[in-house]
Amino acid sequence: MSISDDELIRLCAESNDELAWEEFIARFDRAISLSVIRTVRQWGVTESHVVDDLVQETYLKLCAAKCRLLQDFAALHPETIPSYIKTIAINVVHDHFKALHSTKRGSGKLPETLEDIEAPAGTGSLGSSEAIEREVLLQEVGRYLEACTIGPDQERDRLVFWLYYRQGMTAQAIADLPGIALTSKGVESAILRMTRLVRQRLIEVRKGKSSTLGEKGFRPAESY
Amino acid sequence: MKRPIDRHLDDAEIDALVSLPQESDGSRESVAEHDVRELRSHIDACEECTRKVQMHQDAQAVIANLKVSGSEHASSECPGDSEWLQVAAGLLPTVMAKELMVHASQCDHCGPILRNAAATLSDAATPEEEAQLASLPSARPGWRRTLATELGKGPGINPPAHRYHKLWNQGTAWPRWAVVGVACTLAIASGWFITSRLRSRSVDELLAEAYSQRRNLELRIGGAKYGPMRTERLGGRSTLERPASLLRAELLIKEQLSRNPDEPTLLRAEGEVDLLEGNYDSAIRILKRALQIEPDSSHLLTDLATAHFQRGIASDSPTDYGVAVEYLGKTLAKSPDDPIALFNRAIVSERMFLYSQAIQDWEHYLRIDPQGEWSEEARGRLTRLRQKVKDHQQSSNEPLLTPAELSGPDKDETAIRERIDTRFEEYLRVAVQDWLPSGFSAADPKTREQSRFALGLVAELASARHSDTWLHDLLADDDSTSFSAAVVALSQAVTASDTGNYELARRRAAVAQQLFTASGNRAGVLRAEFENVFQLDLEHAVCLSMLGNFTSTQQLAARAIGLAESAGYPTLHLRAIGLASDTELAFGDSSAGWKRAYDGLAKFWAGNYAPMQGYNLYTNLDTAADMLQQRHLQVAIWQQAIDLIDSESDVLLRAMAHSWMAQAYYTAGLPRAAEREYGQASRLFAAAPQTEATLNDRIQAEVWLARLLSKRGESKDALARLTRLKPYLSAMSNNYVAINFYSSLGEVQLDNHLLEDSDVSVRTAVGLAEQSLKSLRSERARATWNRDAQTAYRALVELKVLQGDARTSLELWEWYRGAPLRQGRHRLADTETSPRAVLVPGSVQAPRLPDLQVVKNSLPRLNDRTTISYAVLPHGLAIWVYDDAGVALQWRPGVSGQVALLAARFTELCSDPASDIGTVRRDGKSLYDLIVGPIQGRLFSHRALVIETDGDLAGIPFEALLEASDQYLDEGSSVVMSMGLYYDMRLISGHDFSSQQPVLVVGVPSVSGDQPSDALPDALHEAEALAASFPHAYFLKGNEATIENIEKYLPGAAIFHFAGHAVAVEGQPRLLLADSGNDPQKRRMLDAEALDAVRLRDTELVVLSACATAQGQGAGFAEPNSLARVFISKGVPHVVASHWPVDSATTEIFMQEFYRGLLSGIMVSEATKRAALVIRSRPETAHPYYWSAFSAFGLK
């Protein structure tokens, strides 16, 4: 005996049953609140009453026009309803602060757009020696990855590697992305496997350079 | 294990040192933290590995430098920022999302945005986030309820929602905390009001509405309005089809169950939701749980019946239909006019081919609900059913055409051929049985001519329409002199076979075979051979079944079915099915036997068969129902069986059928109906040919009738009825009928307050029983004796109980309990008078009883134990308690029924690991109050508690009874179950057990060889561990565990431990052993009969670590064929056995603890108690199912 998310939404929309809404709140309130808390924080705000207001705004948005948004979505993508509700919560927060900022333009410190809330641009501006060095390294590792990954999942494995090392995503966050189809443990395994290969390749290359050029203390050595 | 310090690092160890991500579960490749210290110790001492690690660390540092240090500006290829939230949330098509992710992985502008979006959507919260979540108003139940109420107001939501919004945020003149407080109070109050209102009206109404909106069950549920049936595909059903009312009901039930998880009405509603959604197993589980809490609920019984019925349909399991009929029978026994139960039973009965019951129920239903849509449906079903039965009767009863009619001058040949073809099998049969003999040996030439014409017609049809050339071939070679004798012999064989005289059938078939061989008629030989082989196979099958050879019997039964089917003889096929069902039932496989008989009945009702064929199949169903103790179902089965044969000329058969039906009514607790049927049986017996057997049966029916009359207060009529029978008794040679008569007479006289007369009658009955006891030679014979004679002893004991004579009544009771020890050798000097003489009224005095002193003489020795002895007597329960302080008696008149019900329920609850522990404890307390409470003042924890059970109390796990102080019974004294004082006196408890004693350990983890589904690895571990702990153990494992080896090694063993499978065959537990080679005649089960020949003088302890090894044909170990009883009766002083199917893994632990205690020098009962305590102390096995499964039997 269990009601699926799409059935619950249908029930909320069609019956206006407070018990259905209670179940809806029990199922999704944590996701809504957490999304609101995190997004509000991105706008530099931490006050609880703001979070509280925006959580309620989210519910209003969800149930507007007999839950039309939810119902339409649920009918097509019942499996991603929780994620959809989170995106609505996140967008409610962004809309709120954008609107707020537009009324207070010039008077507050709130950032304008989503890009503004991200970390400042990297220090290595395009064309600097650090940037060029990093670009070379990225290409080198890219070549190693191309060379050492095989099989039907090679593209996915390379994607995992880059998201982990270049973009700094956690194994769990990568596993949660659509289409990855791995558990966090699976992601960790893939990273471990590819890291070994890349590291080994790097060592071999460095050893080669060392034996030729005698640089950086790498000695010609045994096989690994 | 410590790492060798001189070993070089491997890849995994290097990974550990350069801090790669670790496997989540710490798998083989990862290195534990404490091992890192050992690695570093090695590095410190190894230059080579130091260099390796350094190189890897350098390379890892290079890889770490790949990470983007900040966000770059977007390029022209970058998508809009809002896309990334959609990507992370999985809201874009997969292909597009993948493309974007690949871009993000290489883009230092988009990558961080994707990372941020993923982090925002993550379900995992940091401790700070958790704290903030907990502090939000939305975390409070009141807030949620109020918000739900606002949201639930539907259209026009915005204004009220904004009002609500303002309430929280803007307040008025009130401080925020005050607003919050008042609002919370209001919210809670309004929430309570709303939920209460919903609870009071909703669940049942919503479910009824859901049922009516989309009726997908043939059967009705309570309160539901009519809805037309909708046929749906099972599986793959869109959940969007579920009516909103059903979804709302689910929510309401969930919400209410969260607060009242054991509320039966909610559990029932939850079960109904499962029913409506097709989750029948779940429905049965939940409804059973509810029924355990509220055992008398008609509503629950009805729903449970529906769940079984639906599961029966879904899984093609006709035994479920039987369960459904039984539950509905129970409901209707309490509420005969319950319209829903009547409606449902009619449908279930129809499905079970119990058409008589179904018609009766529809008629009853329409009397109490004559109008409306439900009654329209009922009327339609009744009409169709009546027509079906009528058609079947007509087709079966219409006489076959005679040879004269077939060969007459004005015949319509086409019509005649069609008539023959519709009942071709019957014509073929009559051709063999009647027309062949008359065609070739009748004196009248015209008869011969007509018969031969008819034979030719049937032969032609058989060949042309059924590809059966047998009759044609047979008639083609009819010129031999021996042909006429051969067909007569064949006819006799077939006729004998039909009437159940299988031995004659086989002999006549053999003669026919010889004659046909002599005449060179190949077709005749084949048919005669078939009859011969068919009989032989079936007889062989029955013989093997008696020998306990399951596999071979089944194979032969299957062969007989195959032969009949391939030969194209539906009637024989049906009979073979019946016999195969018999075999399966004889082996205790009620499910297979049931299914087989059910399939046979489907054939029977679909074709034209003689009523007897159907009757036989119904008797099979009755046997199965009897095994499952489904009394109401038995009633329905007999109704149908009787309706089939009530027009038969065999009066005796009909009389017997009514007698069986009366018995079914009686055991179903319907005495009035039983009375009516016994009356009918008695009349039919009187009308039957008068032989001694008929007279016996008639007297039995009359005796039952009298007892029933007496039970309902008409004791004078009952006495008169019995008195009228007295003259007949002197003509009888059957002691059992006389015993039954005199003990019943004694009971009825007691009901009439004729104490002295009653005393004479029951003493006469006991005298006859003691005489019969002398001649008994087997356990089986004693079981029969006990069934018939026990009433006499019980009546005699009750007389003494009513006189308040505690010791004499106990002496008599113990004397009766010890009767098996007197069997075959006892001489009771006072009853040496001829039974005929005893039976002539007034000819002799009733026998005097022996001067019994066993209890009296034993009392002084009972200084370390107290015995409770129970006796279920005709009018109540007697409880004696005795020890060196004397004998005390508690008489509880009229409680036997209540005790039986409670005992059965408590035992069932204990034996079900999923049962609610609160309910188990509740019933454990109630039962304690009933059967231990009255004598608890005599119980002391320093004494062992010896319990002599009886009747319905026999299966109770006494250890799990709960005292008022919430202590289990075995928390005080150790508990041991005893067969009675006479048995205990013969047992000699040896010295303390030691590991140096010779032990026979038998471990049979699987009974089906290469099929692992029944494998019990725990049993094997248990046996291996035990064998290892006894230096002088002889271990028979797997294939070595044959009956021959056990017979060989058991006599020398002080301890016998069996770990493996036990099965119940014909209600008797048997231990399953390995096959004894290829000889199908050899047993592979250890049972009471197999133990007959085994000497057990030196065996001090037997542990039967398998399922339900303490049970016998009834419920408990006192039953004749309980293995525990058999071992004790053969002198084994201690037996440990189980009450129900046990959990294999827990049993292994139990046995470890048991032997640990035993070898530490404590008593067997104490070791059992301590092992139970260990199991009980583990939360996962705290349910009595786990720890009270095993009991100690014999001496303490």
Side-chain angles (χ1 to χ4, degrees), chain A:
Chain A
M1 190 181 84
S2 66
I3 295 183
S4 61
D5 289 344
D6 54 321
E7 284 178 322
L8 181 61
I9 286 165
R10 185 160 60 91
L11 197 59
C12 288
E14 289 176 2
S15 70
N16 297 319
D17 188 331
E18 56 268 33
L19 204 59
W21 278 107
E22 263 195 68
E23 175 67 15
F24 184 93
I25 295 166
R27 268 190 213 188
F28 298 116
D29 187 67
R30 178 185 164 86
I32 291 170
S33 298
L34 200 54
S35 301
V36 170
I37 287 170
R38 286 168 178 165
T39 316
V40 162
R41 203 186 304 135
Q42 288 168 8
W43 286 88
V45 176
T46 54
E47 287 92 335
S48 279
H49 72 89
V50 177
V51 172
D52 196 19
D53 285 351
L54 290 169
V55 167
Q56 290 183 52
E57 284 292 338
T58 305
Y59 280 111
L60 287 176
K61 177 109 177 167
L62 288 169
C63 71
K66 294 192 83 176
C67 311
R68 187 185 52 78
L69 279 177
L70 268 176
Q71 270 208 293
D72 290 350
F73 183 83
L76 294 172
H77 310 287
E79 69 285 358
T80 47
I81 288 171
S83 296
Y84 180 69
I85 289 173
K86 286 183 203 170
T87 60
I88 288 184
I90 291 166
N91 287 331
V92 163
V93 177
H94 285 315
D95 290 349
H96 168 79
F97 283 110
K98 282 177 189 170
L100 194 64
H101 180 66
S102 70
T103 60
K104 296 180 178 177
R105 186 172 294 276
S107 62
K109 297 174 185 174
L110 298 174
E112 265 188 33
T113 63
L114 190 58
E115 299 97 284
D116 298 329
I117 63 170
E118 302 300 342
T123 50
S125 58
L126 203 64
S128 69
S129 62
E130 291 90 341
I132 292 167
E133 242 181 71
R134 183 164 176 273
E135 189 57 33
V136 170
L137 178 63
L138 288 170
Q139 286 181 15
E140 184 185 1
V141 172
R143 281 197 306 278
Y144 299 161
L145 279 173
E146 289 280 347
C148 65
T149 50
I150 52 170
D153 296 326
Q154 54 175 302
E155 195 180 329
R156 182 198 65 191
D157 289 351
R158 288 197 293 272
L159 175 62
V160 166
F161 182 91
W162 288 121
L163 290 174
Y164 183 79
Y165 279 116
R166 182 166 177 171
Q167 304 303 344
M169 290 178 76
T170 64
Q172 182 62 57
I174 296 169
D176 289 343
L177 288 173
I180 295 296
L182 286 173
T183 61
S184 63
K185 187 184 158 195
V187 169
E188 283 175 4
S189 292
I191 293 167
L192 182 69
R193 194 172 64 248
M194 285 182 295
T195 305
R196 273 188 190 156
L197 293 168
V198 171
R199 207 168 61 210
Q200 193 60 46
R201 187 75 185 129
L202 281 169
I203 289 169
E204 284 165 9
V205 170
R206 297 295 190 269
K207 276 193 299 191
K209 282 181 184 170
S210 170
S211 61
T212 311
L213 305 172
E215 292 174 348
K216 292 194 176 180
F218 282 101
R219 296 177 194 171
E222 314 81 322
S223 64
Y224 284 91

Side-chain angles (χ1 to χ4, degrees), chain B residues 123-307:
Chain B
D123 289 328
T126 63
E128 293 76 23
E129 288 170 339
E130 289 288 3
Q132 195 172 358
L133 280 170
S135 71
L136 289 175
S138 62
R140 297 178 204 135
W143 185 95
R144 290 181 174 202
R145 214 171 289 135
T146 308
L147 177 61
T149 308
E150 290 295 325
L151 294 169
K153 286 178 179 166
I157 182 72
N158 285 350
H162 277 306
R163 282 202 300 276
Y164 169 71
H165 185 77
K166 284 178 184 172
L167 174 71
W168 287 101
N169 291 306
Q170 293 172 11
T172 53
W174 289 20
R176 178 177 281 270
W177 63 265
V179 174
V180 169
V182 170
C184 280
T185 308
L186 287 172
I188 291 165
S190 66
W192 175 85
F193 172 75
I194 290 161
T195 316
S196 304
R197 187 170 55 84
L198 283 173
R199 184 183 303 128
S200 64
R201 74 168 178 81
S202 282
V203 173
D204 286 345
E205 286 180 10
L206 287 169
L207 284 172
E209 187 182 322
Y211 173 90
S212 306
Q213 277 177 354
R214 199 200 60 181
R215 181 181 165 202
N216 56 0
L217 305 172
E218 271 189 282
L219 308 188
R220 290 177 61 177
I221 66 167
K225 288 180 187 164
Y226 178 79
M229 267 295 290
R230 285 178 47 169
T231 309
E232 294 181 342
R233 283 176 288 120
L234 285 173
R237 192 169 64 213
S238 165
T239 52
L240 287 173
E241 289 176 18
R242 296 202 292 177
S245 47
L246 183 60
L247 302 179
R248 285 153 75 186
E250 277 197 50
L251 285 176
L252 201 55
I253 292 164
K254 181 183 167 191
E255 186 265 338
Q256 294 183 8
L257 274 175
S258 67
R259 281 178 279 119
N260 299 303
D262 294 327
E263 170 59 43
T265 53
L266 291 175
L267 290 171
R268 192 248 310 145
E270 191 182 10
E272 285 184 353
V273 169
D274 275 329
L275 264 179
L276 294 174
E277 293 182 352
N279 305 321
Y280 308 125
D281 284 333
S282 172
I284 288 169
R285 185 176 49 75
I286 292 165
L287 292 166
K288 272 190 170 171
R289 185 166 160 237
L291 198 65
Q292 286 168 353
I293 299 166
E294 193 178 341
D296 295 327
S297 164
S298 295
H299 205 146
L300 283 170
L301 287 167
T302 303
D303 280 350
L304 204 44
T306 305

Side-chain angles (χ1 to χ4, degrees), chain B residues 354-356 359 382-397 605 640 643-644:
Chain B
L354 301 172
Y355 298 142
S356 301
I359 289 171
L382 175 60
T383 306
R384 287 192 295 276
L385 187 56
R386 278 181 177 149
Q387 190 60 45
K388 184 176 185 176
V389 173
K390 191 176 164 192
D391 289 348
H392 189 266
Q393 280 172 346
Q394 274 180 349
S395 65
S396 303
N397 295 339
W605 283 100
Q640 185 64 53
D643 279 359
L644 273 179

